[in-house]
Amino acid sequence: MDIKHLQTFLVACETLNFTKTAEKLQYAQSSVTAQIKNLENELNLQLFERLGKKLVLTHSGERLRQYASKIVHLEEEARNAMVTDQNGGTLIIGAQESQCTYRLPDLLRDFKLKYPSIQLIFKASHSDEMAAKSLMDGEIDLAFIMDTQKTNPYLASTPLIQEKLIIISSPDHSLATRKTVTAEDLVTETILYTESGCSYRKIFEDILSYYKVIPRTTLEFVSLEAIKKCVAANLGIAVLPEMVVEKEIREGNLSEVNFEVEMPAMLTQMAIHKDKWINPPLKDFMSMTKKYFKQ
């Protein structure tokens, strides 16, 4: 299979429109049609079908899409590996907002000082499942995963640091002054959640479910800063890693709620695909990461 045909196929999978695919790739539409037809003839399978005016992927097309993504990424990786300057290239990292903001800035600064020609690209991973899938699909080189300790047969993970989960409220909130707060006490509260799929949101939801607690109101945010500001404004309570809120608690803008239920320990881990080829800059980044988290 021609790698260019696979690249065209992947763009067509995104647009589901050969005209838009041609515009995006700056090809003639006839060229796009011919490349897709060549793939279909080579595989003796139909990859797309027209349902009225709508173009959709067939089951075979969806299966090829998964493999084509890996093949194209591997081809790009091979090209990067052949670059004569081994200190050049691209490093794609998956991480949650909390890690990018509160754990990684100093590490990334030191790495960029050492490798100024490396292009660092961050891919937001709103959940650990998303990060693991991106690693297995070859979309990222390395991921920082924060979750309870789990094993994945396809990933090689290095534990870095334990993270504590806490419930936070405004200092003016009634829960802030109570000696202990039970799960049942949260029935009347407004819970400010991170995005669905976030590991620490799921942990808290599982705790509430275990105690058969359904909060009065829940709100979902994509920004940790927005959650903290809304909690400080006494609009509700939230569960966040301690590292995210320790400054605000220290300065008296937020309070830690004395929740009597013990939260499971979270672990920040560095993960790569177990079959990943580790080039010198990536190897050094991993080594710097281990040293940084031991400080």
Side-chain angles (χ1 to χ4, degrees):
M1 287 179 282
D2 190 301
I3 193 72
K4 289 185 178 179
H5 293 177
L6 290 177
Q7 290 169 333
T8 299
F9 168 71
L10 287 174
V11 175
C13 289
E14 294 176 5
T15 64
L16 292 177
N17 185 300
F18 287 177
T19 301
K20 290 181 179 179
T21 299
E23 291 173 355
K24 193 168 184 179
L25 295 174
Q26 296 185 331
Y27 290 164
Q29 184 178 337
S30 58
S31 177
V32 171
T33 304
Q35 290 185 41
I36 299 300
K37 193 64 179 175
N38 285 340
L39 269 178
E40 292 181 326
N41 290 338
E42 188 173 356
L43 297 170
N44 196 27
L45 291 168
Q46 187 174 356
L47 302 176
F48 295 93
E49 61 180 345
R50 288 198 175 274
L51 301 178
K53 294 184 178 181
K54 187 176 182 182
L55 190 69
V56 297
L57 268 176
T58 64
H59 175 69
S60 298
E62 186 59 51
R63 289 195 67 188
L64 178 62
R65 180 182 191 174
Q66 299 172 23
Y67 287 105
S69 178
K70 295 177 183 178
I71 291 170
V72 169
H73 182 82
L74 188 61
E75 190 265 351
E76 293 172 353
E77 186 176 88
R79 288 183 181 277
N80 289 336
M82 296 300 107
V83 176
T84 53
D85 180 3
Q86 69 175 17
N87 290 334
T90 300
L91 182 59
I92 306 176
I93 297 172
Q96 292 183 9
E97 179 192 357
S98 57
Q99 296 154 334
C100 294
T101 305
Y102 300 99
R103 288 290 185 216
L104 302 180
D106 291 343
L107 168 64
L108 299 176
R109 178 202 60 206
D110 292 345
F111 181 77
K112 282 297 291 180
L113 287 173
K114 189 172 183 179
Y115 294 95
S117 59
I118 288 282
Q119 183 183 10
L120 277 175
I121 298 176
F122 270 88
K123 182 172 181 180
S125 298
H126 303 301
S127 71
D128 299 309
E129 289 80 5
M130 183 187 298
K133 183 179 185 302
S134 294
L135 285 172
M136 291 187 287
D137 289 345
E139 296 172 351
I140 59 178
D141 298 307
L142 178 146
F144 289 95
I145 292 175
M146 185 166 63
D147 202 348
T148 53
Q149 192 157 13
K150 299 174 182 175
T151 57
N152 185 313
Y154 300 102
L155 304 182
S157 299
T158 302
L160 297 173
I161 190 170
Q162 277 203 331
E163 310 284 2
K164 179 184 176 184
L165 285 182
I166 61 174
I167 297 180
I168 56 167
S169 73
S170 161
D172 299 326
H173 197 288
S174 60
L175 295 182
T177 57
R178 295 175 66 167
K179 290 184 178 180
T180 58
V181 174
T182 67
E184 290 79 6
D185 291 332
L186 304 182
V187 170
T188 59
E189 296 300 326
T190 296
I191 310 292
L192 310 185
Y193 279 130
T194 49
E195 289 184 277
S196 179
C198 173
S199 55
Y200 39 95
R201 169 177 174 170
K202 186 177 185 308
I203 285 174
F204 189 51
E205 286 178 326
D206 287 345
I207 289 174
L208 295 182
S209 177
Y210 177 81
Y211 286 96
K212 297 181 173 56
V213 171
I214 301 176
R216 179 181 61 185
T217 309
T218 62
L219 300 173
E220 183 175 304
F221 294 77
V222 296
S223 164
L224 294 177
E225 291 303 312
I227 290 177
K228 290 194 292 184
K229 288 185 182 299
C230 288
V231 171
N234 210 6
L235 296 180
I237 63 173
V239 171
L240 294 175
E242 186 177 37
M243 64 169 174
V244 173
V245 295
E246 57 185 357
K247 179 176 180 289
E248 288 82 0
I249 290 176
R250 185 172 61 250
E251 294 175 350
N253 297 316
L254 293 173
S255 293
E256 178 181 355
V257 173
N258 190 15
F259 194 41
E260 71 169 16
V261 180
E262 185 176 354
M263 301 270 199
M266 302 279 288
L267 186 66
T268 289
Q269 303 170 72
M270 174 176 61
I272 62 169
H273 194 289
K274 66 179 184 65
D275 297 328
K276 174 74 178 173
W277 178 72
I278 302 177
N279 61 24
L282 177 56
K283 183 178 181 180
D284 201 15
F285 181 83
M286 294 170 68
S287 177
M288 290 174 67
T289 298
K290 293 174 186 176
K291 292 178 181 176
Y292 172 80
F293 277 90
K294 283 183 178 178
Q295 294 176 1

